[in-house]
Amino acid sequence: GAGVSQSPSNKVTEKGKDVELRCDPISGHTALYWYRQRLGQGLEFLIYFQGNSAPDKSGLPSDRFSAERTGESVSTLTIQRTQQEDSAVYLCASSRGDYNSPLHFGNGTRLTVT
Amino acid sequence: AQKITQTQPGMFVQEKEAVTLDCTYDTSDPSYGLFWYKQPSSGEMIFLIYQGSYDQQNATEGRYSLNFQKARKSANLVISASQLGDSAMYFCALMDTGRRALTFGSGTRLQVQP
């Protein structure tokens, strides 16, 4: 596709429910990233995929968060038993995977936990 | 460990004037890249400019230039001839070969005044 696509664009869920966020990267991009941005804050790294493997999961805040990537393409970020502090915009990005390759971001999923 | 510091939470500039947004970084890796992103109120992350650690010349992209001072570990963004549409959050970010994920600074909110 032309750019990184994320769905849904908005998600409202009740505390304790599970949510699944989807990211479709730019075709041919081997690296895929998930970031979290709380209101008025900077970007917080969650996880990074090179191909289908995740060499860096250091940013996942708790074991309620997990992510997978299949076919070196689509990725899903799952949050189990959501808490109010999970409310944020979840941004996905993809790149060619080199340290000099810019990340191209999707428009994000705005998650609100009530 | 990587670190990015943006010390200016907010900046004001008059339309048509130039403005410099500060960024300092820390990494022990000799190979790294520095990136600047713009985030308007709409929330999208827009890649502006890239500087590689081995680049001899400062990067330029249209009205954007990067004042790269390697010995001081600074990578300031210069925006010339500011426009009202430049009003946004600006993030500096670092990627090195050890961690193939962008580490972001806390951002600077730029407001361009007519």
Side-chain angles (χ1 to χ4, degrees), chain A:
Chain A
V4 177
S5 177
Q6 290 188 248
S7 61
S9 54
N10 278 284
K11 176 73 177 178
V12 180
T13 190
E14 290 181 353
K15 178 181 170 181
K17 301 282 190 186
D18 298 352
V19 295
E20 199 170 271
L21 312 180
R22 177 188 167 106
C23 174
D24 222 317
I26 292 172
S27 178
H29 278 189
T30 58
L32 186 147
Y33 307 79
W34 285 98
Y35 286 84
R36 178 169 72 178
Q37 187 175 30
R38 292 197 167 107
L39 189 63
Q41 308 271 317
L43 277 75
E44 177 187 3
F45 169 76
L46 297 179
I47 189 170
Y48 146 64
F49 288 92
Q50 180 61 46
N52 291 336
S53 64
D56 192 343
K57 304 179 185 179
S58 62
L60 293 177
S62 75
D63 59 7
R64 296 187 296 105
F65 287 72
S66 63
E68 64 174 18
R69 187 182 186 194
T70 55
E72 295 196 359
S73 181
V74 172
S75 174
T76 54
L77 176 69
T78 301
I79 309 173
Q80 296 178 309
R81 306 180 303 281
T82 52
Q83 304 293 312
Q84 286 188 329
E85 63 262 27
D86 299 334
S87 295
V89 175
Y90 290 81
L91 290 160
C92 176
S94 69
S95 81
R96 293 197 319 264
D98 305 321
Y99 75 88
N100 56 2
S101 297
L103 274 61
H104 298 270
F105 284 82
N107 289 330
T109 294
R110 181 176 299 278
L111 175 66
T112 304
V113 182
T114 60

Side-chain angles (χ1 to χ4, degrees), chain B residues 20-78:
Chain B
T20 297
L21 307 184
D22 293 343
C23 174
T24 58
Y25 62 92
D26 191 23
T27 176
S28 57
D29 194 331
S31 302
Y32 56 88
L34 293 151
F35 302 78
W36 277 91
Y37 283 81
K38 172 184 178 181
Q39 188 176 44
S41 56
S42 57
E44 64 202 290
M45 289 289 287
I46 302 167
F47 166 67
L48 295 178
I49 195 167
Y50 162 81
Q51 180 83 44
S53 59
Y54 297 115
D55 293 344
Q56 295 296 310
Q57 294 189 327
N58 287 341
T60 59
E61 287 287 347
R63 294 186 299 110
Y64 304 109
S65 61
L66 206 152
N67 183 1
F68 181 47
Q69 297 186 45
K70 194 170 181 178
R72 296 182 57 189
K73 292 192 173 180
S74 76
N76 299 338
L77 177 70
V78 180

